[in-house]
Amino acid sequence: MLGSMMEVPLNVISIIRHAASNHPQAEIVSREPSNQLHCYTYASAYRRICQLGRALARLNLQQGDRIATLAWNNYRHFELYYATAGMGLVCHTINPRLHAADVSWIANHSQDRVLCFDRAFLPLVMELLSELQSVEHFIVLDDSATDWPPARVDLQAYERLLAAESDGTLDWPTLDENSPCGLCYTSGTTGKPKGVTYSHRSTVLHAYASALPDSFRLSARETVMPIVPMFHVNAWGLPYSLPLVGARIVFPGEYLDGQSLYTLCEQQQVTLAAGVPTVWLGILEHVKKSGHGFSSLERALIGGSAASESMLHTLEELHGVEVLHAWGMTEISPTGAVNQPTPASRQQPVETLAFKKKQGRAIPGILFRLEDEAGEEQPWDGKSAGHLLVRGPWVVDTYAGGIAGARPDGWFDTGDIATIDPHGFMQIVDRSKDLIKSGGEWISSVTLEDAATAHPDVLEAGVIGIPHPKWVERPLLVCVTRDGSNLDAQALKAFLSERLAKWWVPDAIELVERLPHGATGKLLKTELRKQFAHYILPTAAANELEQP
Ligand code: AMP
């Protein structure tokens, strides 16, 4: 016997349709490259999304085709999220901060057929042109395409595509709720990045669960600024969960320095802002220097890496801004846990700030399991650390291209080591991988080691993360050079600068006699970390804290 309710497939376009009907006057404000503010309503956004849907229909695409974006957080990027999903296409957000070779590798791997990009990324797209194998349509997110140099392809301007379409609503195709709507690549822990393809079902369920009072506590009465980029796990799903509840949205565009973000927050009376710790550090540094406070900000959503105790102290105790500490990953759409108190947790004899350092309880829909090395389940006693496993409707099963994600028993190993207390509050205590977390983005130590050993004079290389006051961690490269070589750190850095994205270049290079190895001949990173435990990076000096 089955239940007798309507079978309505979960569908991303229904979110914005709901917002346009029920919160037609709620605003979406975007900071444009000119620094002017663009402001319109959910009703106007939906009209343009329908126009964009019609324009996409003319490009002769098949359902499931990937539409890549290289764009900041702005209203056009938001429109693309919905029009692509509505038409049965897949919005593939690519991180423009990656090295050009990685961007083209990812676009080729996912066989993107269309590339939409902010005008600011024109030089990057020019550099990629000869590498992109599958892209047929290039669309600049602007109103004209005049300064496209002679090339093998036509460039179309987004606004012209829209202007050519009639106004009025669109009959969106009926889609299977398990069909794909979004694609993000992980940052490549062991080799190449892996694609995670989100479905309509997973995206809608994640939006519902993350909006709940004990998750991000979103509502129509909030003004929310997603600082976390729309190319970083869909800005934590906020472009879906905010219209779901009808919240007012403020997109900061490309202006991500502390002063610009603080000014926008104040001007627009933002009540909740979401970003990685590095972004919050920039805002708090500005606030400290200027001596101002927050007149509207009630809550700070922090995730991507651990919020430090001093950040928690500054926000909560100095500025009265409540911190929502959250944990997630690309493979979990991304939200897995949020730290919101329960009556029982409030009775705990722990200091509030130490407690806030925990990443929180699983949001409804996500299950946690802790295992030791042998696969034995570990108790939730707040002390036993184990591999953190998750399962749920918005957790990856298989990566793009059929690469295995979840284990055959249905659990996904996050690669994080955690404890969980008796109230369900999880805390990340370590990561089992060796990635370096710089400003909320990953840097693959394997890639850096490969780049270093590509130098003919480098015999062996090991890269570890060193704590950094602004970027959380920055890479230190430790190298053994070949006998007789007179290669120095400066020359090696210049060599790497030609091969790596600027922010991937190690902050320091140390040349040593030998690197520590384990019994099987593998480099022992644990030992290397011990050797450099008190290392201070040259970029950690106060006057070097600008954007790498
Ligand atoms: P990504 O897929 O790039 O979002 O990275 C996911 C990883 O970031 C997780 O597996 C964690 O190691 C780390 N991470 C995310 N949020 C937090 C947090 N609040 N505290 C500590 N680590 C975090």
Side-chain angles (χ1 to χ4, degrees):
M1 185 181 159
L2 295 174
S4 55
M5 309 309 284
M6 288 185 190
E7 260 193 45
V8 180
L10 299 176
N11 192 321
V12 164
I13 200 72
S14 66
I15 296 177
I16 191 69
R17 239 180 359 212
H18 168 83
S21 306
N22 297 283
H23 305 278
Q25 297 310 316
E27 288 174 331
I28 301 174
V29 179
S30 306
R31 181 167 253 166
E32 302 232 65
S34 63
N35 221 338
Q36 306 285 311
L37 293 182
H38 174 278
C39 180
Y40 69 168
T41 62
Y42 278 129
S44 326
Y46 183 57
R47 273 198 299 278
R48 279 168 55 88
I49 287 165
C50 292
Q51 284 179 307
L52 179 57
R54 283 194 191 87
L56 289 171
R58 288 186 199 283
L59 299 184
N60 197 22
L61 303 166
Q62 307 292 316
Q63 286 197 356
D65 278 348
R66 269 76 63 206
I67 313 299
T69 65
L70 284 169
W72 297 112
N73 291 10
N74 58 50
Y75 65 100
R76 293 187 181 113
H77 204 177
F78 177 83
E79 290 163 1
L80 274 162
Y81 265 48
Y82 282 97
T84 50
M87 295 308 290
L89 302 166
V90 178
C91 186
H92 175 201
T93 52
I94 307 183
N95 185 343
R97 291 177 179 148
L98 292 174
H99 191 263
D102 293 330
V103 174
S104 56
W105 185 91
I106 288 172
N108 290 336
H109 188 259
S110 70
Q111 293 287 290
D112 296 330
R113 290 194 62 195
V114 182
L115 175 59
C116 305
F117 58 95
D118 280 345
R119 185 172 284 274
F121 299 121
L122 187 70
L124 172 63
V125 177
M126 288 298 301
E127 197 181 334
L128 297 174
L129 269 185
S130 59
E131 301 298 322
L132 297 173
Q133 292 155 5
S134 56
V135 177
E136 294 156 49
H137 306 279
F138 291 82
I139 300 174
V140 61
L141 302 176
D142 208 341
D143 41 22
S144 74
T146 47
D147 57 358
W148 184 245
R152 67 173 171 94
V153 283
D154 283 338
L155 174 66
Q156 309 187 61
Y158 183 87
E159 291 301 333
R160 293 208 178 162
L161 285 177
L162 260 66
E165 300 301 330
S166 59
D167 213 351
T169 58
L170 177 63
D171 278 335
W172 300 95
T174 305
L175 303 168
D176 186 316
E177 65 175 14
N178 288 307
S179 61
C181 64
L183 173 64
C184 291
Y185 274 72
T186 63
S187 317
T189 54
T190 46
K192 292 294 182 193
K194 287 186 276 214
V196 182
T197 310
Y198 309 112
S199 66
H200 284 266
R201 178 184 155 80
S202 70
T203 304
V204 172
L205 290 175
H206 175 265
Y208 274 96
S210 53
L212 286 170
D214 277 341
S215 301
F216 297 167
R217 205 192 314 151
L218 305 177
S219 82
R221 292 160 298 284
E222 301 273 353
T223 293
V224 183
M225 178 157 72
I227 307 170
V228 51
M230 290 170 77
F231 55 75
H232 189 172
V233 215
N234 296 328
W236 301 344
L238 292 166
Y240 305 112
S241 51
L242 298 177
L244 184 79
V245 300
R248 181 168 177 268
I249 307 180
V250 178
F251 285 129
E254 62 198 76
Y255 296 96
L256 300 176
D257 61 284
Q259 180 172 3
S260 303
L261 290 170
Y262 172 78
T263 309
L264 190 62
C265 178
E266 287 298 307
Q267 260 176 11
Q268 296 300 317
Q269 292 291 284
V270 168
T271 55
L272 167 67
V276 296
T278 304
V279 153
W280 283 106
L281 198 60
I283 297 174
L284 293 176
E285 268 174 15
H286 170 75
V287 167
K288 192 174 172 189
K289 273 193 212 133
S290 65
H292 299 314
F294 296 100
S295 66
S296 60
L297 192 70
E298 290 165 12
R299 287 175 301 135
L301 178 55
I302 307 183
S305 39
S308 68
E309 201 156 324
S310 77
M311 181 168 291
L312 289 164
H313 165 75
T314 310
L315 278 163
E316 294 237 337
E317 293 176 357
L318 292 186
H319 294 291
V321 174
E322 183 189 348
V323 172
L324 296 183
H325 193 191
W327 167 89
M329 57 196 307
T330 308
E331 287 90 336
I332 316 180
S333 303
T335 313
V338 185
N339 189 337
Q340 292 254 25
T342 60
S345 74
R346 285 202 158 128
Q347 308 296 318
Q348 290 302 294
V350 285
E351 287 168 48
T352 323
L353 289 186
F355 190 74
K356 283 262 171 177
K357 278 180 76 180
K358 297 191 178 202
Q359 281 76 6
R361 283 169 300 133
I363 64 172
I366 292 293
L367 299 178
F368 280 162
R369 177 182 163 93
L370 280 186
E371 279 185 1
D372 67 8
E373 295 295 332
E376 282 299 313
E377 187 159 8
Q378 297 300 295
W380 290 18
D381 57 10
K383 296 185 202 92
S384 310
H387 292 268
L388 180 65
L389 308 179
V390 293
R391 64 187 296 177
W394 51 90
V395 178
V396 73
D397 179 43
T398 311
Y399 291 101
I403 301 166
R407 300 192 315 202
D409 66 359
W411 287 99
F412 175 77
D413 186 344
T414 64
D416 285 335
I417 307 294
T419 59
I420 305 179
D421 74 16
H423 301 279
F425 285 79
M426 180 272 289
Q427 183 159 24
I428 303 284
V429 290
D430 199 357
R431 56 191 73 140
S432 56
K433 304 163 192 163
D434 294 318
L435 288 168
I436 294 125
K437 198 109 214 201
S438 174
E441 306 271 351
W442 288 119
I443 296 177
S444 159
S445 58
V446 177
T447 305
L448 300 193
E449 286 157 17
D450 283 349
T453 49
H455 192 289
D457 283 356
V458 175
L459 193 60
E460 204 188 359
V463 172
I464 52 171
I466 299 286
H468 188 280
K470 175 156 189 187
W471 300 105
V472 182
E473 280 185 348
R474 291 292 301 155
L476 165 70
L477 167 65
V478 188
C479 281
V480 181
T481 53
R482 287 181 200 282
D483 279 347
S485 153
N486 53 14
L487 179 71
D488 62 13
Q490 212 181 349
L492 183 54
K493 196 162 180 178
F495 172 84
L496 293 173
S497 302
E498 287 170 16
R499 284 160 181 78
L500 299 167
K502 196 174 161 209
W503 62 281
W504 278 46
V505 176
D507 285 25
I509 299 176
E510 290 294 333
L511 303 178
V512 295
E513 289 288 318
R514 69 186 67 81
L515 287 168
H517 293 93
T520 56
K522 283 191 193 166
L523 180 63
L524 261 190
K525 291 252 176 115
T526 42
E527 194 51 43
L528 197 58
R529 284 198 190 93
K530 272 190 211 150
Q531 286 177 12
F532 288 90
H534 304 293
Y535 194 82
I536 309 258
L537 289 166
T539 51
N543 57 353
E544 293 270 357
L545 291 183
E546 83 270 2
Q547 191 105 7

